[in-house]
Amino acid sequence: MAEKKTYYITTPIYYPSGNPHIGHCYTTVACDTIARFKRMQGYDVMFLTGTDEHGMKIEQKAKELGVTPKEYVDPIVDNFKHLWQTMDISYDRYIRTTDEYHVKSVQKIFKKLYDKGYIYKGEYTGKYCTPCESFWTESQLDENGCCPDCHRSVVDAHEEAYFLKVSDFADKVEKFLTETDYLSPKSRVNEMINNFIKPGLEDLCVSRTSFTWGIPVDFDPKHVVYVWVDALSNYITALGYENDEYNDFEKYWPADLHMTAKEIVRFHSIIWPIMLMMLDLPLPKHLYGHGWINFNGQKMSKSVGNVIDPFVLAERYGSDAVRYQILRDMPYGSDSNFSNEIMINRINSDLANGFGNLVSRTVAMADKYFGGTLPEERQAEDLDNELIDMAGKLRDTVAPLIGEAQLAKALEEIFKVVSRANKYIDETEPWILGKDEAKKARLASVLYNLLETIRICSGLLAAFMPKTSPEVWKQIGASEELTKYDELGKFGKLPVNVTVSKGEMLFPRIDVEKEIDELNALLTPAKAFKEDEDLDKANVITIDQFAEVKLRSGEITACEKIKKSKKLLKLQVDDGRNGRQIVSGIANWYKPEDLIGKKIVFVANLSPAKLCGELSEGMILACDAGEDDVRVLFLDKDVPNGSTIR
Ligand code: ME8
C-alpha cells in the first residue's frame, strides 16, 4: 500500500510569561483547522505546538515572585494546555524548551555549528543600563540613545560572547526568499529584504553570560544559548533531530507550514533558514506571517487591561463560535480588530441567523411535513440548479484556500453557499408547498437539496468547528461515511429517503446589549491585572520602607522641551523650598503650556541624574492610561507647595 503523504505544521512556541489570550488562540486555532483539514484529505499530519520557557525576562519575573523559573512557568504551561483542550486543539505533540531531550539537542546543534566554523567566540560590544542590569544594542536604544525600559543613560559594555555568522548567508537567504514561495504574504518578502537584508546582516550574538536561565553551552558553561536559537530549534528537536526521544525527523521534515504573527517573521524567514542551511538540512516549505488581533483599536496588552480571556468566551458562546469568529474576521495578512460587539454580531449573523437557522428550519420542515423521513418522489426545477452547482463545487473551491491558510476567505466561500441556501428557502416557500398534497414531490426535492447543501457545508466546516459539525450530521441523518472528504465533492449522496432528527438549537441568538454589559463587567481590570496582583503580593513592603520614599507636592512654574529629545520635558518646580528642576519623559502626551501652573506630586529624595545632559532632581508621578498613553497625577489648586504626601 502506498504510504500516506505527510504534512508537518507548527505554531510558534509561546512564552509562558503570562496567561494566554485570544491573540495566541488565533495562530493555534488556524493551525488546528489546517491540520484537521489535511487529516480529512488523507494526510499523515504532525501538528506541533509548545512553550518557549527560557530567557532573562522569565528569570526576572520568577525572581520577583521568589520562585524558581521552572516553578514560575509550570502553572502557566498547564494553563496553555488547558486552553488548547478547551478550544479543541488537536495537536499531535507539545514541546517545552525545558524538556531534557530538547536541551541536549540544542547543545548538540550549537556544538555542530561551532565545529563547522559558523559559530565563533568574540566580544559583544553594546550598551548597558546599570540600574536595569540589561544589555542593549545600539538599535534598541530609545530615540535619546537611552535605555528603552527606564530611559536612563547607558554605558558602553563588553561581554565575551559567541556569534553566528549570518553575514555570510545574506545572498543565499535573499535568493531563498525571492525565488521560492516560502514566505507569504508576498509583501513581507519585500519588508524583510528592504528592512533587514539590504542594510546588511550583522553576525548574531548567540550566547549570553549575564543571566543563567537558559541552555548552557556545554563546552563553555558560563554561556547560555540565545533564546531564539534555542526556540527555533524546537521545530526539529521535536521530531527527534539530535535526540532519541522521537524518531520522525526523516518522515516529517521539512515542515510544510510554519505559522506566526508578523512580529517574528524576521526570525523565521532569515535566521531560521540560515541555521538550517548551516546544518545542511532541507528548508521548510512555507511560512505564513499573519496580522495581529487588536482590541478596540489597540494592541492587546496586559498593561491596558484589554486582554480578552478566551476561557470566558468559550464558556459563554462555545469554543466553536469563538474559533469561527477569530478565523472569519482576520483578513489574510493584515490585522483584525476584536471587540465584544464585533464578536457577538458575527456569531449572531453567520452562526445563529445564517447556518444555525438553515439547519433548524430545514430539519423542522422535514419533520413537520414528512414526519422526519423524506418520501422517494421528486420534482426538480431549474431554480434548483444554482444551489446544486454551488454546493457541488464548494469543496474544490475551499480546499486550496485552506492549503494557503486563507481561512477567512474559505469561510466566506462556505457562507456564500449557506446564504444561497437560505435564499432558496425564501424562493421555494416550502411552507406553501407543504399545504398542498400535489406539491409534496416538489417539497421533497427542495428539502433534499437543502439537506445535501448542509451536509457539504458542515463537512467542510468540521475542520473549523469540530463540535458543531457532528451535531449537524446527527440532525440531518448523514452517516459518518458521507461526511468524508471524498463524499464532500459530490452532490446527491444522502439516501433518497433520508431521516432527520430534530436536535438542540446550534447557536442561540445572543441579546447584544445585555451581553455586552455582562461581558464588560466580566472583563474587569481586576481580572486582567491578576498577574500584577500576584507580583504585588510577592513584593509587599513595610510602612517604614514606604516612608523612605519622600513624596511632596509642587507646582510647575516653567516648562520647555529638551531639544535633543522627543520624549523629555524640562520642568521647573516650586517645591516650597529653593525650587528644583525635574526632567520627565512625558513630551508625547503634554505640551509645555499645558503644564505650567499645575500642581503635581514628585519624589523628593530620588538620587539626582542627568538625562540628555540635563540635571533631574526627582521624578513626577504619572500613571499608565493605555497602551501608549500616560497621565500626570495633578493635585487640587489649593494644595500648598512642598507638603508631604503620605
Ligand atoms: O514570540 N494577534 O512568543 P509569544 C495575533 N516565544 N497573534 C498573536 C497576538 C495577537 N494579538 N498575540 C500573540 C514568541 N500572538 C516566541 C516565539 S517561535 C520559535 C518563538 C501569537 O508568546 C502570534 O502567533 O510572544 C505571535 O507570533 C505569537 O503569539 C507570539 O507569541
Side-chain angles (χ1 to χ4, degrees):
M1 210 173 71
E3 288 225 342
K4 276 184 168 186
K5 273 172 70 179
T6 60
Y7 190 84
Y8 180 32
I9 179 167
T10 68
T11 72
I13 46 171
Y14 302 106
Y15 291 127
S17 57
N19 283 327
H21 54 69
I22 200 88
H24 298 110
C25 285
Y26 177 78
T27 325
T28 320
V29 168
C31 287
D32 182 65
T33 301
I34 298 173
R36 285 175 182 274
F37 199 79
K38 291 286 170 185
R39 287 189 202 110
M40 281 169 60
Q41 288 183 307
Y43 285 84
D44 172 343
V45 172
M46 169 58 71
F47 170 21
L48 175 73
T49 189
T51 29
D52 181 5
E53 306 183 14
H54 293 123
M56 190 168 70
K57 286 222 170 101
I58 301 234
E59 184 177 275
Q60 273 171 351
K61 280 209 167 168
K63 202 162 143 204
E64 284 173 37
L65 286 166
V67 294
T68 64
K70 189 72 172 29
E71 283 167 343
Y72 171 71
V73 295
D74 277 349
I76 305 179
V77 171
D78 285 346
N79 207 24
F80 266 94
K81 289 185 174 171
H82 180 203
L83 178 61
W84 301 150
Q85 205 178 3
T86 306
M87 298 301 292
D88 283 312
I89 303 301
S90 62
Y91 61 80
D92 297 293
R93 202 160 283 171
Y94 193 98
I95 186 168
R96 299 183 58 171
T97 54
T98 49
D99 288 339
E100 198 49 38
Y101 76 89
H102 172 79
V103 170
K104 292 260 154 58
S105 309
V106 168
Q107 288 175 327
K108 287 189 187 153
I109 291 171
F110 199 92
K111 180 74 170 40
K112 217 176 204 177
L113 294 172
Y114 180 76
D115 289 343
K116 282 170 158 252
Y118 293 127
I119 284 182
Y120 62 91
K121 200 176 206 172
E123 191 177 62
Y124 171 82
T125 50
K127 302 289 175 184
Y128 188 69
C129 174
T130 316
C132 294
E133 293 181 48
S134 302
F135 282 92
W136 303 108
T137 61
E138 203 71 59
S139 61
Q140 286 172 321
L141 299 177
D142 71 9
E143 60 267 45
N144 306 314
C146 296
C147 168
D149 272 356
C150 74
H151 305 291
R152 280 180 277 209
S153 311
V154 289
V155 293
D156 288 329
H158 306 272
E159 191 190 32
E160 177 189 281
Y162 287 94
F163 287 84
L164 188 70
K165 269 194 180 167
V166 293
S167 54
D168 281 2
F169 284 77
D171 291 344
K172 280 196 185 130
V173 82
E174 181 171 344
K175 223 162 145 20
F176 174 57
L177 294 181
T178 49
E179 293 180 7
T180 69
D181 60 356
Y182 175 60
L183 176 56
S184 54
K186 272 277 169 248
S187 57
R188 302 218 192 282
V189 172
N190 300 333
E191 211 177 294
M192 292 302 120
I193 290 176
N194 297 334
N195 298 351
F196 302 108
I197 301 180
K198 286 271 187 258
L201 281 184
E202 280 177 30
D203 286 351
L204 182 71
C205 179
V206 288
S207 78
R208 295 285 189 272
T209 52
S210 48
F211 62 94
T212 56
W213 181 238
I215 298 181
V217 174
D218 54 358
F219 56 89
D220 195 354
K222 71 172 189 291
H223 292 260
V224 293
V225 175
Y226 175 46
V227 72
W228 273 100
V229 169
D230 167 358
L232 289 163
S233 301
N234 95 88
Y235 301 128
I236 52 177
T237 64
L239 297 179
Y241 182 75
E242 292 292 354
N243 66 68
D244 297 326
E245 180 80 9
Y246 297 110
N247 197 17
D248 341 83
F249 183 73
E250 294 298 324
K251 183 170 174 192
Y252 292 111
W253 192 257
D256 293 274
L257 181 61
H258 291 311
M259 199 187 295
T260 78
K262 57 188 178 182
E263 80 287 355
I264 56 173
V265 159
R266 177 161 73 100
F267 292 98
H268 286 79
S269 65
I270 299 177
I271 305 300
W272 180 226
I274 290 179
M275 279 173 65
L276 292 164
M277 288 174 193
M278 290 172 169
L279 292 167
D280 289 319
L281 293 175
L283 302 179
K285 293 178 201 157
H286 297 291
L287 164 65
Y288 169 50
H290 61 76
W292 286 325
I293 297 188
N294 296 330
F295 182 67
N296 285 341
Q298 278 183 307
K299 189 175 172 223
M300 246 178 230
S301 133
K302 261 184 291 167
S303 67
V304 187
N306 68 351
V307 181
I308 291 297
D309 183 344
F311 286 108
V312 173
L313 299 182
E315 196 183 305
R316 292 178 88 80
Y317 312 116
S319 52
D320 275 4
V322 179
R323 287 172 64 109
Y324 177 80
Q325 190 275 327
I326 55 180
L327 296 179
R328 178 65 188 85
D329 283 316
M330 176 74 91
Y332 185 72
S334 40
D335 290 355
S336 77
N337 196 20
F338 184 95
S339 74
N340 296 328
E341 286 88 339
I342 291 176
M343 181 189 57
I344 293 170
N345 287 332
R346 178 61 83 183
I347 296 174
N348 274 346
S349 71
D350 292 14
L351 300 181
N353 298 346
F355 186 58
N357 196 26
L358 172 66
V359 175
S360 65
R361 284 205 287 175
T362 305
V363 171
M365 289 189 290
D367 196 58
K368 181 170 172 190
Y369 300 121
F370 297 115
T373 302
L374 296 194
E376 296 198 356
E377 295 73 33
R378 290 287 189 272
Q379 188 195 330
E381 283 185 14
D382 286 351
L383 173 62
D384 307 339
N385 296 343
E386 190 184 331
L387 179 66
I388 294 174
D389 187 53
M390 282 174 82
K393 287 182 181 152
L394 186 60
R395 187 197 72 175
D396 295 338
T397 308
V398 161
L401 292 173
I402 295 179
E404 291 162 17
Q406 302 246 28
L407 301 178
K409 188 90 180 65
L411 286 172
E412 195 185 316
E413 291 297 330
I414 298 172
F415 275 74
K416 269 187 203 162
V417 179
V418 169
S419 301
R420 184 67 193 83
N422 272 322
K423 190 168 155 222
Y424 178 76
I425 297 183
D426 297 340
E427 289 165 348
T428 52
E429 301 181 312
W431 49 91
I432 294 182
L433 300 175
K435 285 189 194 142
D436 187 344
E437 203 49 42
K439 294 192 172 148
K440 284 284 163 92
R442 175 67 193 139
L443 178 60
S445 288
V446 167
L447 294 180
Y448 183 84
N449 291 339
L450 289 168
L451 289 170
E452 262 302 275
T453 304
I454 294 170
R455 177 183 69 84
I456 290 171
C457 291
S458 59
L460 296 170
L461 283 172
F464 297 84
M465 298 195 284
K467 279 199 184 87
T468 303
S469 292
E471 176 56 29
V472 174
W473 301 334
K474 255 194 270 164
Q475 297 194 20
I476 63 166
S479 65
E480 201 194 320
E481 197 52 37
L482 293 185
T483 63
K484 295 219 163 112
Y485 187 77
D486 281 347
E487 306 302 320
L488 299 176
K490 303 168 198 153
F491 197 93
K493 300 297 289 189
L494 278 171
V496 188
N497 52 355
V498 58
T499 301
V500 304
S501 43
K502 271 172 86 170
E504 296 272 300
M505 208 196 301
L506 299 173
F507 299 98
R509 217 188 130 71
I510 304 167
D511 176 337
V512 184
E513 267 176 37
K514 182 167 157 277
E515 194 59 24
I516 295 287
D517 286 347
E518 287 184 22
L519 258 193
N520 289 345
L522 265 176
L523 296 168
T524 55
K527 194 162 176 67
F529 289 134
K530 170 84 180 69
E531 200 177 314
D532 289 346
E533 245 174 60
D534 292 345
L535 284 178
D536 293 347
K537 278 188 202 137
N539 292 301
V540 282
I541 55 168
T542 63
I543 185 105
D544 293 337
Q545 284 170 308
F546 173 68
E548 285 177 21
V549 182
K550 301 293 177 204
L551 297 176
R552 295 226 185 91
S553 59
E555 181 175 335
I556 300 173
T557 53
C559 177
E560 61 184 289
K561 284 193 140 187
I562 293 181
K563 284 204 184 69
K564 280 186 286 177
S565 159
K566 282 191 200 135
K567 280 194 180 163
L568 298 179
L569 291 182
K570 186 166 74 176
L571 317 169
Q572 304 306 324
V573 176
D574 178 348
D575 58 358
R577 292 157 179 79
N578 299 327
R580 63 173 72 204
Q581 172 170 298
I582 296 179
V583 176
S584 179
I586 52 172
N588 279 340
W589 303 283
Y590 291 92
K591 292 199 205 85
E593 57 270 28
D594 298 336
L595 292 169
I596 295 167
K598 288 275 178 15
K599 301 265 186 178
I600 43 92
V601 182
F602 65 94
V603 182
N605 61 338
L606 196 66
S607 68
K610 278 214 162 164
L611 297 173
C612 279
E614 294 286 351
L615 180 68
S616 182
E617 300 169 295
M619 183 176 86
I620 68 166
L621 298 194
C623 82
D624 287 332
E627 171 77 1
D628 189 28
D629 199 5
V630 164
R631 304 286 159 82
V632 171
L633 265 58
F634 293 122
L635 294 172
D636 285 346
K637 281 219 164 326
D638 53 356
V639 172
N641 296 336
S643 306
T644 296
I645 292 171
R646 51 201 168 88

